[in-house]
Amino acid sequence: MFGSLFEEEEEGFSLAPSGGRVVKGEGEPPPPRGRVNLSGIKNQGGTCYLNSLLQTLLFTPEFREELFSLGPKELGCLEDKDKPEAKVRVIPLELQRLFARLLLVDQQSASTADLTDSFGWNNSEESRQHDVQELNRILFSALEHSLVDTSGSAFIQRLYHGTTVNSILCKECGNISQRQEDFLDLTVCVRGVCGLEGALWDMFVEEEMFEGSNLYRCGQCDQLVTAAKSAKLRKLPPFLTVSLLRFNFDFARCERYKETGRYTFPLTINLRPFCEQTEDEDSEYSYELFSVIIHKGGCYGGHYHVYIKDMDHLGLWEPPEEDSKPKVQKKKEVRVYPEPEKDDPLSVLSSIIAQEESRSVLLDQLGQRLMDKIGSSWSKKYRKLHGPIGKFLQNHSDVFVLVNNGTRVALKANPPSPVTQPSSPAHPTPGPSSSPDPVHNNTANPQPELGLETAPEPQGSHWFDLNDSTVTSIHERDVEKMYQGKESAYMLFYRKTLLRRPSGALRNPGYKVPPHLLEMAEEENRRLQQRREEFEASNNSVELRLHLAPRYRLENGALKPISIEQNEATNLTFDLRRTVGDLRMIIYQMQDLWEGDMALTVAKSLPAGLHLYNTLTDDEVSLYSAGILTGTDLFVWNGREVCGATVQTGAEWEPMLLTVVRPSLGEEGEGGDEEGGEEGGSGLSKESRGFAGRVTLGEVREALGEPQESLLCQEKRGGGEGGGASGWRVFPPGDMQRTLKELALKDGDALLVLEPQTQDSSVFSVSGDMVTVTTPSDCRWLQVEYRPERRRRRGGEGEEEEERMRAKVPASGNMLLCEVKQRAIVELQLQEQLAGVACCLRQVDRTGKLLPPVCEELSVRDAGVRLMTSLSLCPGTAPKDTQLFLYFSVGTAPSSCLEGEIIIEQSSTVKQCLKKMLESARLEGDGWHLRRLDWCEEVGEALMDEEASLSELKMSHGDALVITEGRLPPKGFLKMSVWLYVEPRTNPVVSMETEVNGTAEGSTEGQRLEVMTAVGGAMVELRTVGQVEISEEATLEELKTQVLTLPALQYVCVPTPAFLRVWQLEGQRLTRILRGQQHTLRKLKLCSGVEFCVQQLLREEDLGPKEVLLRVQMGVPGERGYYPPEDLVWDASRDPSPRSLRSALASTYGLSPDSLLLAKHQPHTHTWETFSNWSQQVSKRKKKKKAESLLGAPFHLKDGDIIGVKNLLIDNNRDFSTQQDEQRLREEKEQRRKGGQGAGAEVETNQGVGPEKKMGPVKARKPEVALSINVGVFR
């Protein structure tokens, strides 16, 4: 029906209940049912429409009871479904199992995977969205076919089948002609109707008159007469399903849309006015609403959920949360409890519990609430007189009561119901479910715990919102909110009010469920309970690492193990729900020799060692409430000292590991290279030391044993780039009183210690607050290679390799490059050879290509030269710091023979740079200008401002420029590529695709470049003829005149520019014709880089803005082909309707307009879109419909479109498609099946060379696939 029209916008479901801590994994059991004690259905990705309909059928008690009445003798067994001889009716069997799970199994949501497998759906079908109205019809049909030859073969008809009768009354003879129609659901109109009763009135009360030009032929009178047509409901079904037509099609805009206006429907309705027989009692015509399927979203995306009235009261209805908020506020406002005496724990605890919203407190959180109330813990305030808090609660059982399996404490006068109790974050994994077990005894749900009576339910209750896995209570008045908007009613389900439910079915989910399904549900509940208990035990177990104090010592502010050989930690698995006191007792039992107090402190392993944080002091708090998680380290000690040393705890005393760097002399320095790494070679020694974060820098200096005159330095981050030395910042004297935390030092930071006697050495140079360290390992080398110019240009690779001379020159980051060059000349013994010859140093890239010369006035570090790399000593002058080294070429991109080099000041202008390049290239004249060379070595944009400096243009070393012949074009000029349109060869009779593929022949030797491009789908030949540069203020006529001066168009003879047609090219397609001879190129929205082609005409042409050039093809009678196309200029300025185009074509061919059938060819889809010949008749009451425009949706006619014409007088074939169209469609379908793009896309994007702009991929909507359910044969 609608296929995959509805794409889900808000599909999704929760795998675990919100709140609480649940560790997800493969073995995690599904959560139990929520407060309402109803089960949802999991969404398989796009099955919300299926879930909504299944819940409606489940809560239709008569439907599910009819389904449950079918036993295995009639349906078979699922275990035999794979046997070829067995006839197993899989769909009703799987539906029975699903309904049993939804009714009886204690889980938040059930899966429909087995049911959809029985439908024959695959994964893609389950993720594809469909229309719920379509599913309703198909599912009923599948059930009827599945239940053939069983006692339930007609139960769908019994429950949902109704009939209508259509009557036509002849006003002349009084003859009545009737036709009866069956229905399982009524489809009613939404557009133009205010509600359901109005729509039924229009359908079954209003008469349609046949009069005037629209008369009825009476079978008895045998003539056209005035008549009245009406319809009535003849047979009413027990259950009435109403489908609302909320999705319509807008023919003016050619798109689907959703009716979101207000559309009312009553909770009860009397159908007597709409029925044929009205003699029965009112109760026979009275229906009540019990289900509303709701669609949220638009026509191309949305989500389904359903409002359902629970007729059997299977769920536990409670007021929605928003209704309970004012009541909670009222409780807070009523201060019935005076301020308790702090010395009386009974009144304090009673006050704490009574003031809670839920009238109960988690047992684990009671101690914390007491701390907040009186400012002291139970242990300090009451333990000596009253004992542990748990024992105190047990001794006062007349006041307090434990609920929810002992996890919460409440006042006995008003304990909370376990059903309405909110879940606790402290116990995310539920224990045995307190919700009633619907399986045992097959009776109604038991009463809540503690003998409480169920409160009377308000009027209009037992409505629920079933949204996939989520089920919530709603009010009956909430149904009225679904009258309008993007979230509105889509299907309505009514039941006769005469259908009363037996008392045994109320609150009894197992009513009439077969015994084998009861056993199945009971077994699944047992397995779920076992899985939950196992998961709860594993989920609440944590792995702790115990560190015993006798195994540790305090060193540099951190705890470190005394012996490395022994394992310093003991692993212990413990239950999170047990208390800190229980953990302490377990550790006491493990350590038989422990004496004195025992403190448990949370520890953390840091680079400096083990550090202690907070101590667990309250023995009554559970480990979960104390924040203990898996992998927590606990330090077991006496709470004061370790091995006689006082230990500071807390985050502020967190130790950090610093690297202390000292100068080393002689042999000591040689050993320092082992730990020093890259910068810690000979001359420096490194040592890792830990310090507490709250110690000051002065205390660190004292701990290191350094005098006050010593300097402490921090390494400057980012120093040492491009050279060997490293920089350090000296801490000022004021920093000596600041702590390491305040100085933002962290683990791994280096601290340089300089004693007074080492500050004047050659390794360290102090300048203000900076210290530069140059160690022997920093004095590295640079390799300098000499390339003789004469050998490099003429010799082969072998000779060149022999002539190269290399030398390693010791260098550092501070050495100037001019010193490096002088040392290299000495090492290579080139003093005499290079005397008086200018030479420079150039870097070499990985491919051996020479880079621009380096500035010799800079140091190695400042020039960005890295040590231990190669430099080439080449002839030439080195640029200064204020100069640029540029490459240039003449006319083309740089190559080995045309490339030149210059050195010029950065402040020079473009004109000065051009002059110097012309002098270097020995060129004369002023007809030259400069262009940039882009990154792919193609000639780019021109340097328009000749007075701008090179620095303003952001030129840098190594940039390349191209000297181009011709004066610099003035500003506002456009450079565009020109192509020539070559008329295709035609045959007397060709088909559409023959023309597309048959014009590639006939290429000539003299053409420079050719490309095949589409004009409305037909292929023509284009030849490139050059480029033009023209002002954007020039007119279209001037552009045509300049194009005719191109050398390649000298053979083209046209009397005036009006004999030329100019097409704009976009992505290998001729898109539009440029109109207006006197329009400027700016007005035509042309810019540089645009490509266009010119077409020679046989007559002058000056198209208007509303004149469209169409290529018209007349169909060959009796064949699936067309005559050669002809150009037609259609004036659509006055009337752009199909009638106007049909009249223009009729005038061209000399035919009657009514005999012509027109269609537009769609080259992308290889289909034809027919122009309708039908004119809509509009009633007098309605406004006249606006004429359809072919320039707008859905046709969007434009220049070059192909129009097919059929002469219906001699050609009865209304199909415009050709065999080539079908072949292309098959090829594209095969390509999509293989995962590739369509053949048409390949043709479009891979046609030869030429303009290489490719059409981007068009994102299409998902294909609309019909919904189906596979059913076996059971006859």
Side-chain angles (χ1 to χ4, degrees):
M1 181 178 175
F2 288 97
S4 58
L5 172 64
F6 304 103
E7 299 172 4
E8 302 290 339
E9 285 181 347
E10 300 181 8
E11 294 290 338
F13 50 90
S14 174
L15 295 177
S18 61
R21 183 183 59 86
V22 176
V23 180
K24 291 182 174 60
E26 293 182 359
E28 179 180 354
R33 302 189 181 203
R35 298 180 181 178
V36 299
N37 196 34
L38 293 178
S39 179
I41 301 179
K42 295 178 182 177
N43 194 318
Q44 297 189 54
T47 56
C48 63
Y49 66 100
L50 174 65
N51 297 348
S52 301
L53 182 60
L54 290 176
Q55 293 283 19
T56 299
L57 298 179
L58 173 70
F59 283 91
T60 307
E62 292 77 6
F63 179 92
R64 69 170 184 262
E65 289 168 8
E66 288 278 1
L67 186 66
F68 284 145
S69 66
L70 302 173
K73 291 183 180 180
E74 293 184 285
L75 302 181
C77 298
L78 287 175
E79 293 76 11
D80 301 333
K81 65 179 180 181
D82 296 328
K83 296 180 180 179
E85 68 279 2
K87 287 190 176 182
V88 181
R89 306 172 193 265
V90 182
I91 293 179
L93 285 172
E94 291 292 357
L95 197 57
Q96 280 185 346
R97 287 198 172 194
L98 176 63
F99 281 5
R101 291 189 176 98
L102 291 171
L103 291 170
L104 304 172
V105 178
D106 184 21
Q107 56 184 356
Q108 182 186 23
S109 57
S111 173
T112 56
D114 294 337
L115 179 63
T116 54
D117 287 345
S118 71
F119 291 168
W121 293 358
N122 51 27
N123 291 335
S124 61
E125 186 67 34
E126 292 161 355
S127 60
R128 187 181 290 119
Q129 298 81 35
H130 291 280
D131 179 37
V132 69
Q133 298 175 3
E134 179 187 17
L135 174 68
N136 184 53
R137 298 188 180 100
I138 293 177
L139 180 59
F140 280 1
S141 176
L143 284 174
E144 288 182 325
H145 284 83
S146 298
L147 298 176
V148 169
D149 297 335
T150 67
S151 61
S153 59
F155 92 87
I156 295 291
Q157 298 294 322
R158 289 197 302 269
L159 296 180
Y160 296 96
H161 176 260
T163 58
T164 61
V165 57
N166 296 312
S167 304
I168 299 180
L169 172 63
C170 176
K171 296 294 185 179
E172 300 293 333
C173 66
N175 179 54
I176 299 178
S177 174
Q178 291 187 338
R179 186 181 73 256
Q180 180 173 301
E181 295 181 356
D182 301 325
F183 69 87
L184 293 179
D185 65 287
L186 286 178
T187 301
V188 298
C189 185
V190 174
R191 183 179 182 184
V193 185
C194 61
L196 176 61
E197 292 171 311
L200 293 177
W201 187 272
D202 292 342
M203 292 173 63
F204 300 114
V205 177
E206 292 286 346
E207 291 184 343
E208 180 183 359
M209 297 301 298
F210 295 101
E211 57 186 358
S213 61
N214 185 25
L215 296 177
Y216 168 71
R217 179 172 291 278
C218 178
Q220 185 167 340
C221 300
D222 195 19
Q223 61 181 352
L224 296 175
V225 297
T226 302
K229 180 183 178 181
S230 61
K232 291 291 183 181
L233 291 168
R234 172 168 288 180
K235 176 192 172 185
L236 293 176
F239 294 90
L240 179 64
T241 303
V242 180
S243 299
L244 308 183
L245 288 178
R246 285 203 176 269
F247 296 99
N248 282 322
F249 189 84
D250 187 348
F251 289 93
R253 303 176 62 183
C254 194
E255 62 182 7
R256 296 186 178 110
Y257 70 97
K258 180 180 179 181
E259 295 282 356
T260 58
R262 182 177 176 84
Y263 189 88
T264 62
F265 46 88
L267 295 176
T268 59
I269 187 171
N270 192 308
L271 298 181
R272 181 192 293 270
F274 316 119
C275 293
E276 185 182 30
Q277 304 294 332
T278 59
E279 294 81 9
D280 296 333
E281 297 292 334
D282 277 350
S283 58
E284 293 290 339
Y285 307 100
S286 179
Y287 285 80
E288 63 175 326
L289 183 70
F290 75 98
S291 177
V292 182
I293 293 182
I294 299 159
H295 179 263
K296 179 181 181 181
C299 60
Y300 293 109
H303 176 69
Y304 288 103
H305 63 107
V306 59
Y307 285 177
I308 291 180
K309 184 176 183 180
D310 181 13
M311 305 302 299
D312 285 350
H313 294 194
L314 302 179
L316 300 177
W317 192 91
E318 59 182 8
E321 294 181 1
E322 58 270 15
D323 293 350
S324 62
K325 288 181 181 178
K327 299 177 182 179
V328 173
Q329 293 174 358
K330 290 180 181 179
K331 288 183 181 179
K332 290 184 177 179
E333 293 172 0
V334 179
R335 300 180 180 273
V336 295
Y337 297 99
E339 189 68 17
E341 292 292 334
K342 292 186 178 181
D343 294 333
D344 183 11
L346 185 62
S347 62
V348 172
L349 294 179
S350 300
S351 174
I352 292 173
I353 297 172
Q355 292 178 5
E356 286 293 315
E357 296 178 2
S358 60
R359 308 301 296 272
S360 67
V361 179
L362 278 169
L363 195 58
D364 289 340
Q365 297 180 357
L366 187 59
Q368 183 63 40
R369 301 294 173 87
L370 180 66
M371 176 77 74
D372 298 338
K373 186 74 174 178
I374 64 175
S376 179
S377 66
W378 176 271
S379 299
K380 293 182 179 179
K381 186 72 175 178
Y382 307 115
R383 186 181 178 90
K384 292 183 178 180
L385 295 177
H386 303 281
I389 189 172
K391 187 177 180 180
F392 179 82
L393 296 175
Q394 293 177 2
N395 293 337
H396 294 80
S397 57
D398 56 332
V399 179
F400 305 104
V401 62
L402 297 179
V403 296
N404 281 20
N405 298 327
T407 60
R408 306 183 72 90
V409 58
L411 296 177
K412 197 165 187 179
N414 188 18
S417 170
V419 176
T420 61
Q421 187 62 47
S423 59
S424 166
H427 288 275
T429 307
S433 176
S434 59
S435 60
D437 186 357
V439 177
H440 295 292
N441 302 327
N442 192 19
T443 59
N445 292 333
Q447 295 294 327
E449 294 181 11
L450 305 175
L452 294 179
E453 295 183 358
T454 306
E457 294 162 351
Q459 185 68 23
S461 61
H462 282 283
W463 277 90
F464 296 95
D465 178 12
L466 294 96
N467 191 346
D468 289 338
S469 300
T470 306
V471 184
T472 55
S473 303
I474 61 171
H475 285 292
E476 190 176 64
R477 61 176 179 270
D478 293 332
V479 178
E480 300 177 1
K481 300 177 182 178
M482 297 298 109
Y483 286 164
Q484 61 190 357
K486 288 190 174 182
E487 185 177 13
S488 51
Y490 191 60
M491 286 189 75
L492 308 175
F493 297 83
Y494 286 88
R495 57 183 288 127
K496 278 192 173 182
T497 54
L498 288 177
L499 298 175
R500 300 295 181 184
R501 298 296 297 151
S503 58
L506 296 179
R507 297 184 178 85
N508 184 8
Y511 183 72
K512 289 193 176 181
V513 178
H516 69 282
L517 293 179
L518 290 174
E519 295 175 1
M520 179 202 73
E522 189 173 356
E523 178 61 27
E524 289 191 13
N525 278 330
R526 279 197 296 266
R527 288 200 301 266
L528 282 174
Q529 184 63 27
Q530 182 179 358
R531 287 180 58 192
R532 286 170 184 152
E533 291 175 357
E534 294 173 355
F535 179 76
E536 183 181 8
S538 61
N539 194 40
N540 287 296
S541 297
V542 290
E543 295 289 337
L544 305 177
R545 290 194 295 268
L546 303 180
H547 302 266
L548 304 179
R551 301 179 183 177
Y552 284 83
R553 58 185 173 85
L554 185 65
E555 180 180 340
N556 295 328
L559 294 170
K560 295 186 177 181
I562 298 175
S563 175
I564 302 178
E565 289 77 11
Q566 65 178 359
N567 187 9
E568 67 275 8
T570 301
N571 294 326
L572 174 64
T573 303
F574 202 73
D575 195 330
L576 266 180
R577 294 166 293 182
R578 301 183 66 179
T579 63
V580 175
D582 297 336
L583 176 62
R584 197 187 311 274
M585 292 301 300
I586 293 295
I587 299 176
Y588 266 124
Q589 296 173 8
M590 293 172 56
Q591 304 294 324
D592 296 335
L593 302 179
W594 189 276
E595 296 182 358
D597 297 334
M598 176 184 290
L600 302 179
T601 304
V602 178
K604 184 178 179 181
S605 181
L606 302 175
L610 196 68
H611 183 64
L612 307 184
Y613 293 89
N614 57 303
T615 301
L616 306 179
T617 56
D618 193 348
D619 285 355
E620 302 299 329
V621 174
S622 67
L623 294 189
Y624 181 86
S625 300
I628 304 300
L629 304 176
T630 294
T632 301
D633 293 282
L634 291 179
F635 193 73
V636 184
W637 61 316
N638 58 13
R640 297 181 300 277
E641 57 187 18
V642 174
C643 295
T646 303
V647 179
Q648 302 291 346
T649 62
E652 64 275 8
W653 287 97
E654 196 174 82
M656 59 185 63
L657 189 67
L658 301 179
T659 301
V660 181
V661 182
R662 287 188 176 94
S664 60
L665 302 175
E667 297 180 356
E668 295 180 1
E670 297 296 332
D673 191 42
E674 296 178 2
E675 298 183 8
E678 186 176 345
E679 288 194 355
S682 301
L684 292 178
S685 64
K686 294 185 178 181
E687 176 189 8
S688 296
R689 293 284 297 270
F691 301 95
R694 288 192 60 179
V695 302
T696 62
L697 196 60
E699 293 173 345
V700 171
R701 183 171 58 186
E702 294 178 5
L704 294 175
E706 300 293 337
Q708 295 185 357
E709 295 80 9
S710 299
L711 298 180
L712 297 184
C713 312
Q714 183 181 13
E715 187 175 10
K716 182 181 179 183
R717 295 181 177 88
E721 287 291 334
S726 58
W728 299 74
R729 184 182 66 86
V730 179
F731 285 108
D735 286 351
M736 293 299 152
Q737 305 303 320
R738 300 176 63 186
T739 64
L740 301 184
K741 289 280 188 182
E742 294 172 348
L743 293 172
L745 292 175
K746 59 182 184 299
D747 291 320
D749 282 354
L751 197 66
L752 177 64
V753 181
L754 288 182
E755 299 179 0
Q757 63 271 19
T758 60
Q759 296 177 10
D760 297 332
S761 65
S762 60
V763 177
F764 306 99
S765 58
V766 181
S767 176
D769 62 344
M770 292 298 299
V771 175
T772 302
V773 181
T774 307
T775 63
S777 62
D778 295 322
C779 301
R780 296 179 182 140
W781 49 266
L782 285 170
Q783 178 173 281
V784 180
E785 180 184 79
Y786 175 60
R787 299 186 179 187
E789 183 69 16
R790 60 180 183 277
R791 292 292 184 185
R792 185 173 68 88
R793 282 195 170 183
R794 66 182 182 181
E797 289 188 2
E799 295 178 3
E800 183 180 346
E801 194 67 29
E802 293 175 357
E803 292 296 331
R804 291 183 179 181
M805 304 168 62
R806 298 180 178 86
K808 282 189 177 180
V809 178
S812 66
N814 296 328
M815 182 181 293
L816 296 178
L817 286 170
C818 58
E819 300 178 18
V820 175
K821 184 176 75 172
Q822 293 300 326
R823 291 189 182 184
I825 293 175
V826 174
E827 290 286 338
L828 296 172
Q829 300 179 0
L830 299 174
Q831 298 93 326
E832 297 180 0
Q833 185 176 348
L834 298 180
V837 179
C839 57
C840 60
L841 294 176
R842 303 179 69 165
Q843 290 181 288
V844 184
D845 64 6
R846 295 180 178 179
T847 62
K849 180 181 177 181
L850 290 177
L851 300 179
V854 297
C855 179
E856 298 176 2
E857 298 176 353
L858 302 176
S859 65
V860 173
R861 182 186 299 108
D862 295 337
V865 178
R866 295 193 172 274
L867 297 175
M868 296 187 294
T869 58
S870 295
L871 295 173
S872 181
L873 184 62
C874 303
T877 305
K880 297 181 181 179
D881 192 22
T882 59
Q883 294 178 331
L884 290 175
F885 177 86
L886 302 176
Y887 297 100
F888 71 92
S889 63
V890 180
T892 60
S895 62
S896 57
C897 58
L898 298 177
E899 187 175 337
E901 304 168 351
I902 66 167
I903 296 176
I904 191 170
E905 294 289 336
Q906 295 181 7
S907 57
S908 300
T909 63
V910 174
K911 183 181 293 186
Q912 295 171 343
C913 179
L914 174 62
K915 181 179 179 181
K916 189 166 185 178
M917 288 182 177
L918 291 174
E919 293 174 355
S920 177
R922 298 179 181 178
L923 296 176
E924 298 180 354
D926 55 356
W928 306 90
H929 66 276
L930 290 178
R931 291 180 177 270
R932 289 181 183 269
L933 196 72
D934 59 17
W935 62 272
C936 55
E937 295 193 354
E938 293 183 357
V939 179
E941 60 182 5
L943 302 181
M944 303 295 294
D945 190 356
E946 292 186 325
E947 301 301 327
S949 65
L950 300 180
S951 59
E952 291 174 353
L953 296 177
K954 298 182 180 180
M955 302 291 292
S956 57
H957 280 287
D959 284 353
L961 298 175
V962 179
I963 303 176
T964 306
E965 189 173 5
R967 292 183 179 274
L968 190 67
K971 294 182 180 179
F973 267 61
L974 308 177
K975 185 175 182 180
M976 298 177 288
S977 300
V978 187
W979 299 75
L980 177 63
Y981 182 103
V982 181
E983 291 292 342
R985 294 183 178 182
T986 58
N987 298 321
V989 178
V990 292
S991 66
M992 183 65 206
E993 298 296 338
T994 304
E995 183 185 356
V996 171
N997 299 323
T999 57
E1001 302 175 358
S1003 60
T1004 61
E1005 295 290 339
Q1007 67 185 35
R1008 295 174 55 190
L1009 190 67
E1010 72 175 32
V1011 63
M1012 303 306 294
T1013 182
V1015 181
M1019 306 304 291
V1020 297
E1021 180 182 337
L1022 300 182
R1023 300 179 187 175
T1024 180
V1025 294
Q1027 293 182 330
V1028 295
E1029 287 190 359
I1030 190 171
S1031 173
E1032 61 183 3
E1033 300 300 331
T1035 63
L1036 179 60
E1037 185 177 10
E1038 293 172 346
L1039 173 64
K1040 295 179 180 179
T1041 303
Q1042 184 167 341
V1043 167
L1044 291 174
T1045 63
L1046 293 174
L1049 295 182
Q1050 292 179 357
Y1051 65 91
V1052 178
C1053 298
V1054 292
T1056 64
F1059 282 81
L1060 281 182
R1061 179 185 295 159
V1062 182
W1063 292 83
Q1064 185 173 346
L1065 267 172
E1066 288 183 6
Q1068 296 189 358
R1069 288 192 176 275
L1070 303 180
T1071 56
R1072 65 166 178 147
I1073 297 175
L1074 302 183
R1075 292 168 167 78
Q1077 299 290 339
Q1078 302 306 319
H1079 287 177
T1080 64
L1081 302 186
R1082 179 198 297 272
K1083 187 174 182 179
L1084 293 174
K1085 298 181 180 180
L1086 298 180
C1087 57
S1088 289
V1090 166
E1091 296 174 319
F1092 65 90
C1093 78
V1094 291
Q1095 179 183 4
Q1096 187 178 1
L1097 304 176
L1098 299 180
R1099 57 180 178 270
E1100 289 185 331
E1101 180 181 85
D1102 188 10
L1103 298 179
K1106 288 291 185 177
E1107 290 181 325
V1108 184
L1109 177 70
L1110 303 175
R1111 296 178 64 84
V1112 182
Q1113 292 182 319
M1114 174 64 75
V1116 180
E1119 299 182 14
R1120 300 182 66 183
Y1122 297 89
Y1123 291 108
E1126 300 178 6
D1127 287 349
L1128 171 70
V1129 178
W1130 172 48
D1131 186 2
S1133 58
R1134 294 184 178 179
D1135 185 7
S1137 66
R1139 182 182 58 184
S1140 172
L1141 177 59
R1142 191 175 295 108
S1143 300
L1145 288 170
S1147 176
T1148 301
Y1149 290 108
L1151 299 173
S1152 170
D1154 296 335
S1155 64
L1156 298 183
L1157 184 63
L1158 311 182
K1160 174 190 173 183
H1161 185 249
Q1162 301 287 2
H1164 295 289
T1165 58
H1166 309 291
T1167 57
W1168 293 81
E1169 197 166 1
T1170 306
F1171 300 158
S1172 175
N1173 284 352
W1174 175 70
S1175 298
Q1176 183 180 10
Q1177 295 183 358
V1178 184
S1179 64
K1180 298 179 181 179
R1181 296 181 180 180
K1182 297 183 179 179
K1183 293 183 179 179
K1184 186 177 180 180
K1185 185 178 179 182
K1186 186 179 179 181
E1188 183 179 10
S1189 173
L1190 295 180
L1191 303 182
F1195 299 102
H1196 297 286
L1197 285 189
K1198 59 183 182 302
D1199 294 326
D1201 281 348
I1202 288 185
I1203 304 298
V1205 183
K1206 294 276 188 177
N1207 185 0
L1208 299 181
L1209 297 177
I1210 58 176
D1211 191 358
N1212 294 327
N1213 182 14
R1214 294 174 175 264
D1215 184 11
F1216 284 84
S1217 64
T1218 64
Q1219 295 179 355
Q1220 288 78 6
D1221 288 329
E1222 296 178 355
Q1223 181 181 354
R1224 286 294 181 87
L1225 289 173
R1226 286 194 298 268
E1227 291 175 357
E1228 291 188 1
K1229 184 177 180 180
E1230 183 66 20
Q1231 289 288 341
R1232 287 193 296 269
R1233 188 182 66 82
K1234 294 179 180 179
Q1237 296 179 348
E1242 294 180 1
V1243 172
E1244 179 182 338
T1245 56
N1246 298 325
Q1247 292 290 346
V1249 287
E1252 297 181 357
K1253 298 179 181 178
K1254 299 184 179 182
M1255 297 291 291
V1258 180
K1259 182 179 180 181
R1261 299 189 183 276
K1262 297 180 180 178
E1264 297 187 2
V1265 182
L1267 181 65
S1268 63
I1269 296 178
N1270 299 327
V1271 184
V1273 179
F1274 301 106
R1275 292 190 181 274

